[in-house]
Amino acid sequence: MLELRDIFKTYDNQPLLRGISFSVSQGETVCLLGASGSGKSTLLRMIAGLENPERGRILFNGADLAQTPTHLRDFGLVFQDYGLFPHLNIFDNVAFGLKMRNLPTAEISLRVAALLEKVNLTGFETRKVTDLSGGEQQRVALARALAPRPRLLMFDEPLGALDRTLKESLLQEIRAILHETKIPVIYVTHDQDEAFAIADRILLLRDGEIVRVGTPAEVWSNPGSAWAAKFLDAGNVIEGKMQNEECGMQNVVTAFGEFPVNCSHKHAAGDKVSLLVKQSGEGQEIKFKVEEILFKRNQFEARGAGLVFQMDKAPALGQIIKVKVEVKCLA
Amino acid sequence: MQNTINSPTKKIGLRACLSANLRIFLWLPTLLFLIYFFFYPLTRILNLTFSPATFTNPNNLLITFHSLLFTFYQAALSTLLTFALGIPSAVLFSRFDFRGKSLLRALTAVPFMLPTVVVASSFNALFGNHGWLNVERLTFNVSPSPFVLILAAHVFYNTTIVIRIVGNTLSRLDPKLEAAARSLGADSFRVWKNITLPLLRPSLLAAALLVFMFDFTSFGVILLLGGSNFSTLEVEIYIRALKLPNLPLAAMLSVIQLLFTLIFSILYTRAINQVATQTAPRFSAARPPKSLRESAFVFTVYCLLFTFFLLPLLSLPLRSLTRLEADRGQRGEVQYGFTTDYYKELFINQRGSLFYVPPIQAAKNSLGYAGLTVFLSLALGYPAAYALAKPTRLEKFLDPLIMLPLGASAVMLGLGFILSFGRALASPFFVPIAHTLIALPFVIRALQPALASIPERLRQAAAMLGASPFRVWQTVDFPILSRATFSAATFAFTVSLGEFGATLLLTRPEYPTIPIAIQRFLSQPGGLNFGQAMAMATLLMLLTLVSILFIERTRLSDII
């Protein structure tokens, strides 16, 4: 449905987006995950037609959108700070897109009522925007964006301004609604938990480039780079030096010992490589001295030598412990 | 010893004692001053108005009706024109970044603070009979009608109000709202109609009311550019007070004037409060123009504003230094071009001149009056502001009373003085008293927040760090107050220097002020008189500009 081809954009003479290409298909939720300043919001604005790419094309169902102004693109947009119209009540906010399409009044009323029910705000029609809580405002913004039944729905950090518990419940609601509507969705966030919870596919953005694409499970188990592993908090990252190949496997020498790994591309002996070290029930053992212990939820987090592991029982400080780990080659 | 000085109980005790007995002396002088010099004259005016003979006189009613109609007409037209220039300017300043932006913004704000006589003289210097565009030797021969000049001067004065109020709201509009509306299917026109315009409405209304109020009460500009043919309420009050005396009619007109001013200020206060509640966050929506259309817009409005605001301001000082025509009755050898004669003439007491004294005496009088005004308004304003900074219940009533003279026009103040102190007016002291009435609300408004803003914690912190009470005052109170005091004093000084309406009614011929001298010079024929008016007005403009610079340097925060 939506397809981006090789998008470039600079901001203040600094490259912001460098050759972004991806596509979104019917009913799919694609999540753009990246730190702030990685250019993901700008990408959304370009898809919405609020900004123009310097190079590259944006197509929808094969048609180039370059000449289509924002108001004719039929894409919905939900902002972090809601962007509700302060001079209109809830009904008129949700009805705005329908009025712009000159629908009959009776149909507008019906559709607004149905949408408010969907976001659990029935009876809020005549309330003022300013009387609503943050979560309620964001639900209104969602209803407003859904009302004209857009061809594509975009979320720009929609839960960024909300507190943790509200975030989780609203995330559930959004996911349920998206499943029901089958609209293709682009969801922008810097929060990996949010991205893993809602995405069918994750695009990891770094410095204006897509560094990793995959389902949440794929990305989680194989982040693809030391940066991505750290950004996603996917496990411990350690450095090591590649040894000569022996029996089809290469060994990497690290401060914690020697580990056989299977890298996706060949490395020469002596190359520096990053390894992802994840706790697992079986596999190799890694030894380290506990320097710090933190209580987290119902587990203990043991830290030492730059490694972090979860333990069921509290170890003693200074104790040397062994943990079974799975070691993977990053890139 | 140290302990007792710094102990808070002693401080509270002192303050409590002060509030019990001595506080009354903080605001009593101001109240008495207002009662004697404002409310007593006001009762005289009301007395005269509400006698049956006044408003049953058909002639009076006819004049009132006509001047009311004309006042509304010119004010409405002026407001409309001000918006025609002000709205594009507000868009320019709030939406775009360009080189020289802050300079241009300052330039548009200057006229608002200039005395009416200076603005009138500037327009005369450009368009008047002896002005740059109209002198026989130059072939432009553009002579707009006086009415057009009045309207242009009103636009010149008040555009900055629209830029400030509407521009502020525009620059605080969340750009996301526009983006949201567009993504929901609204084209540019519908975004403007459904989003931008409704959100701007309170500030448009507030700006319109304020501009209309200023145009409604405009006096100096109309009298000096139009003459007494253009009979607005203000001009009619002046005529009926001095030229064709009919004091009851003048009184009735000024009561009507006061009534309308009060209505407008109430409406304005409501509107501006709504503006304040609607626009909380600040966004930086301004950016360099992108498309060709935007660049063309920026360029056009930029040039328009630059020309419209700079030309009159420049033509005045230039005209005061340039001879474009023969002096009155002068034949033969006339040196055209650069001259300092107009300034030299100010020091000469011509036989048969307009004054009994050299014209420069007017400048000395003005400075004297201004000094007295500063002294009086600070002496009265300081204690009153101190009382109002943390008012008791009784003192809260004082606040609107002090502000009330703002609603009365200067001409009305003059009329009240004439009615109340008729014979005593031979004394020159009534001019600074009238000026003090006008300056006092501003002085108190400038001092009050500064006095209220000094947190007790600062004084306590200073004391905790070992400062003696005197050192506390010296290091905490004084630095904060000195700026406010200085800007209040400068403000009173500027108000007095440029005051025209009240002075015109009160001044004695032998004690002219600068504005009065300018008015007399302008009302006389001949190039020399005109040149001297230009020279005087240039002096006044420079004095005012210096004062504005001082105020800008010292003010604590933006006020409008």
Side-chain angles (χ1 to χ4, degrees):
Chain A
M1 293 206 98
L2 182 79
E3 191 186 349
L4 271 71
R5 286 190 195 158
D6 212 20
I7 299 290
F8 277 84
K9 181 84 178 174
T10 54
Y11 183 76
D12 277 348
N13 296 322
Q14 295 287 317
L16 184 65
L17 295 170
R18 301 183 290 183
I20 300 285
S21 302
F22 68 90
S23 60
V24 187
S25 48
Q26 180 72 50
E28 187 187 24
T29 301
V30 165
C31 195
L32 285 170
L33 179 61
S36 50
S38 60
K40 48 198 189 334
S41 291
T42 310
L43 203 54
L44 273 202
R45 292 178 61 80
M46 286 193 292
I47 297 169
L50 299 164
E51 269 177 60
N52 292 319
E54 276 148 26
R55 238 173 65 197
R57 300 172 72 192
I58 300 172
L59 305 109
F60 197 87
N61 287 338
D64 196 318
L65 292 177
Q67 298 306 318
T68 314
T70 303
H71 67 278
L72 299 178
R73 288 195 183 189
D74 207 4
F75 295 166
L77 191 51
V78 178
F79 298 99
Q80 176 176 358
D81 40 13
Y82 328 126
L84 296 180
F85 305 130
H87 59 298
L88 302 178
N89 64 18
I90 303 308
F91 178 91
D92 288 326
N93 262 286
V94 178
F96 190 88
L98 304 174
K99 285 180 181 166
M100 290 304 117
R101 284 162 181 77
N102 300 318
L103 293 183
T105 330
E107 196 190 335
I108 292 180
S109 304
L110 277 176
R111 271 166 78 166
V112 171
L115 278 160
L116 285 180
E117 196 189 331
K118 196 179 262 182
V119 297
N120 290 323
L121 288 176
T122 306
F124 275 59
E125 282 86 348
T126 54
R127 297 258 204 120
K128 278 204 263 174
V129 168
T130 43
D131 293 343
L132 264 54
S133 71
E136 287 166 342
Q137 289 197 42
Q138 195 54 287
R139 298 217 292 265
V140 175
L142 177 62
R144 183 179 69 177
L146 283 171
R149 293 177 189 149
R151 303 190 287 174
L152 173 80
L153 196 53
M154 293 181 282
F155 292 85
D156 189 359
E157 306 254 7
L159 307 177
L162 304 177
D163 62 50
R164 193 187 177 84
T165 44
L166 201 55
K167 217 174 192 170
E168 277 167 15
S169 67
L170 202 50
L171 200 58
Q172 296 291 336
E173 272 185 57
I174 292 177
R175 202 166 49 177
I177 290 169
L178 294 184
H179 268 285
E180 199 183 319
T181 51
K182 303 256 186 289
I183 299 175
V185 170
I186 301 177
Y187 190 104
V188 157
T189 182
H190 66 271
D191 182 327
Q192 24 125 347
D193 290 335
E194 230 174 286
F196 284 124
I198 206 155
D200 294 325
R201 200 146 54 94
I202 287 177
L203 307 179
L204 203 53
L205 217 61
R206 185 196 184 189
D207 295 338
E209 284 176 307
I210 295 175
V211 293
R212 182 77 172 93
V213 186
T215 64
E218 285 167 4
V219 173
W220 177 258
S221 69
N222 189 5
S225 67
W227 176 85
K230 283 176 189 161
F231 181 76
L232 297 172
D233 201 10
N236 294 293
V237 178
I238 57 173
E239 305 292 324
K241 209 180 243 180
M242 192 60 87
Q243 299 295 97
N244 284 323
E245 193 175 321
E246 284 170 23
C247 328
M249 288 289 267
Q250 278 187 303
N251 274 359
V252 177
V253 177
T254 72
F256 303 94
E258 210 172 299
F259 300 100
V261 292
N262 202 349
C263 289
S264 52
H265 31 165
K266 283 274 175 198
H267 289 281
D271 276 1
K272 277 190 176 174
V273 282
S274 299
L275 301 179
L276 178 65
V277 179
K278 277 189 179 179
Q279 223 163 341
S280 81
E282 56 204 60
Q284 295 162 290
E285 276 187 345
I286 196 166
K287 271 196 294 189
F288 74 104
K289 189 175 168 189
V290 178
E291 290 161 1
E292 204 181 355
I293 304 164
L294 266 78
F295 181 69
K296 277 217 174 154
R297 308 249 167 135
N298 51 2
Q299 283 194 314
F300 295 90
E301 197 173 277
R303 297 168 175 233
L307 301 173
V308 181
F309 289 108
Q310 312 294 328
M311 328 280 293
D312 290 332
K313 286 179 189 160
L317 270 182
Q319 188 186 349
I320 295 185
I321 53 175
K322 291 178 183 173
V323 183
K324 294 205 165 176
V325 292
E326 181 192 12
V327 180
K328 273 185 186 167
C329 183
L330 287 166
Chain B
M1 190 61 201
Q2 196 82 32
N3 279 339
T4 49
I5 288 172
N6 289 342
S7 86
T9 44
K10 183 167 183 192
K11 250 185 186 165
I12 289 165
L14 228 163
R15 188 151 293 173
C17 172
L18 191 69
S19 65
N21 297 315
L22 297 171
R23 269 190 88 102
I24 190 170
F25 290 105
L26 290 175
W27 47 265
L28 197 63
T30 306
L31 188 64
L32 290 176
F33 180 82
L34 286 177
I35 287 174
Y36 192 62
F37 290 112
F38 180 70
F39 290 103
Y40 169 60
L42 187 64
T43 54
R44 292 299 300 259
I45 290 176
L46 289 172
N47 235 341
L48 210 54
T49 307
F50 293 106
S51 65
T54 309
F55 54 89
T56 51
N57 182 337
N59 193 37
N60 283 359
L61 289 181
L62 201 66
I63 292 171
T64 308
F65 178 72
H66 274 296
S67 63
L68 199 58
L69 207 64
F70 179 68
T71 311
F72 265 100
Y73 170 65
Q74 65 84 15
L77 208 55
S78 301
T79 308
L80 218 63
L81 290 170
T82 308
F83 268 68
L85 183 64
I87 295 295
S89 314
V91 172
L92 177 77
F93 285 118
S94 60
R95 286 286 156 96
F96 296 107
D97 278 328
F98 47 90
R99 204 179 283 183
K101 181 174 172 177
S102 48
L103 188 75
L104 188 67
R105 190 197 282 272
L107 181 68
T108 57
V110 162
F112 190 69
M113 292 173 272
L114 286 179
T116 48
V117 278
V118 172
V119 171
S121 304
S122 300
F123 273 77
N124 257 320
L126 191 57
F127 298 108
N129 285 331
H130 304 276
W132 285 105
L133 298 181
N134 217 12
V135 174
E136 287 162 34
R137 295 186 64 244
L138 304 169
T139 46
F140 300 112
N141 267 330
V142 187
S143 53
S145 79
F147 190 53
V148 173
L149 280 190
I150 291 171
L151 296 178
H154 282 166
V155 175
F156 186 68
Y157 249 113
N158 294 328
T159 301
T160 184
I161 295 175
V162 183
I163 293 177
R164 278 229 178 172
I165 297 180
V166 181
N168 262 356
T169 312
L170 258 179
S171 64
R172 286 175 193 202
L173 280 188
D174 187 349
K176 280 204 188 73
L177 297 182
E178 195 185 313
R182 283 168 66 190
S183 78
L184 288 166
D187 55 33
S188 310
F189 172 73
R190 291 176 99 171
V191 169
W192 176 253
K193 185 186 146 230
N194 290 307
I195 306 298
T196 316
L197 198 61
L199 288 173
L200 276 185
R201 196 167 289 144
S203 17
L204 288 173
L205 188 69
L209 279 165
L210 198 60
V211 171
F212 189 86
M213 187 158 75
F214 281 130
D215 291 334
F216 192 85
T217 53
S218 163
F219 174 65
V221 161
I222 294 183
L223 191 70
L224 290 171
L225 288 176
S228 42
N229 298 333
F230 291 89
S231 108
T232 61
L233 283 176
E234 287 277 293
V235 172
E236 205 60 49
I237 296 168
Y238 160 70
I239 292 170
R240 302 299 157 179
L242 282 189
K243 297 263 160 128
L244 308 164
N246 179 350
L247 291 178
L249 175 57
M252 182 164 80
L253 290 168
S254 55
V255 168
I256 292 171
Q257 159 98 306
L258 181 65
L259 219 62
F260 276 111
T261 317
L262 287 182
I263 292 171
F264 294 145
S265 8
I266 290 168
L267 292 177
Y268 166 73
T269 312
R270 277 191 186 176
I272 202 77
N273 283 341
Q274 234 185 330
V275 174
T277 58
Q278 267 214 355
T279 54
R282 173 150 231 151
F283 297 92
S284 57
R287 52 169 178 74
K290 276 182 190 165
S291 64
L292 192 69
R293 252 177 68 189
E294 287 179 351
S295 301
F297 170 80
V298 168
F299 182 76
T300 313
V301 182
Y302 186 97
C303 291
L304 199 67
L305 285 178
F306 210 76
T307 318
F308 184 67
F309 282 93
L310 197 61
L311 222 54
L313 291 178
L314 271 187
S315 58
L316 172 63
L318 291 180
R319 184 66 183 83
S320 76
L321 289 168
T322 319
R323 192 192 301 278
L324 295 176
E325 59 195 339
D327 296 339
R328 197 182 180 192
Q330 198 174 0
R331 299 261 157 74
E333 299 287 301
V334 180
Q335 285 275 312
Y336 295 103
F338 178 79
T339 177
T340 53
D341 281 0
Y342 301 140
Y343 287 91
K344 285 182 192 145
E345 284 288 333
L346 295 181
F347 294 90
I348 297 166
N349 190 7
Q350 294 271 0
R351 208 183 308 154
S353 77
L354 298 166
F355 311 99
Y356 308 105
V357 289
I360 200 65
Q361 184 64 40
K364 291 180 190 163
N365 292 338
S366 268
L367 290 175
Y369 286 150
L372 269 175
T373 305
V374 169
F375 173 77
L376 261 179
S377 54
L378 281 185
L380 292 169
Y382 229 106
Y386 193 79
L388 287 172
K390 280 171 192 150
T392 60
R393 257 164 77 196
L394 177 70
E395 287 157 4
K396 278 185 181 154
F397 288 101
L398 201 63
D399 193 70
L401 288 187
I402 289 172
M403 296 305 142
L404 203 60
L406 276 183
S409 72
V411 180
M412 181 180 186
L413 292 180
L415 176 70
F417 276 30
I418 290 175
L419 290 175
S420 311
F421 313 111
R423 256 166 282 159
L425 282 182
S427 147
F429 286 103
F430 280 91
V431 173
I433 285 174
H435 291 181
T436 303
L437 272 178
I438 298 167
L440 196 56
F442 295 109
V443 168
I444 291 177
R445 274 282 179 269
L447 291 175
Q448 190 184 335
L451 278 163
S453 75
I454 303 176
E456 193 59 24
R457 249 178 295 143
L458 281 187
R459 298 197 186 99
Q460 287 166 353
M464 289 295 292
L465 292 166
S468 66
F470 173 72
R471 292 280 290 168
V472 169
W473 179 84
Q474 188 192 10
T475 50
V476 178
D477 293 51
F478 179 72
I480 298 176
L481 283 185
S482 62
R483 302 171 101 199
T485 310
F486 195 65
S487 76
T490 317
F491 204 92
F493 185 79
T494 322
V495 163
S496 171
L497 268 191
E499 209 289 323
F500 179 63
T503 318
L504 188 61
L505 270 76
L506 295 179
T507 194
R508 312 293 306 167
E510 64 272 29
Y511 296 110
T513 63
I514 297 179
I516 300 302
I518 294 170
Q519 186 251 346
R520 288 197 205 153
F521 278 129
L522 280 180
S523 61
Q524 299 296 316
L528 186 61
N529 280 327
F530 186 79
Q532 291 191 76
M534 294 298 110
M536 274 277 190
T538 306
L539 285 180
L540 184 52
M541 180 162 94
L542 289 179
L543 277 171
T544 315
L545 285 180
V546 170
S547 304
I548 292 172
L549 272 182
F550 272 125
I551 293 175
E552 286 293 310
R553 281 264 173 109
T554 55
R555 75 175 164 181
L556 285 171
S557 62
D558 268 354
I559 309 163
I560 217 190

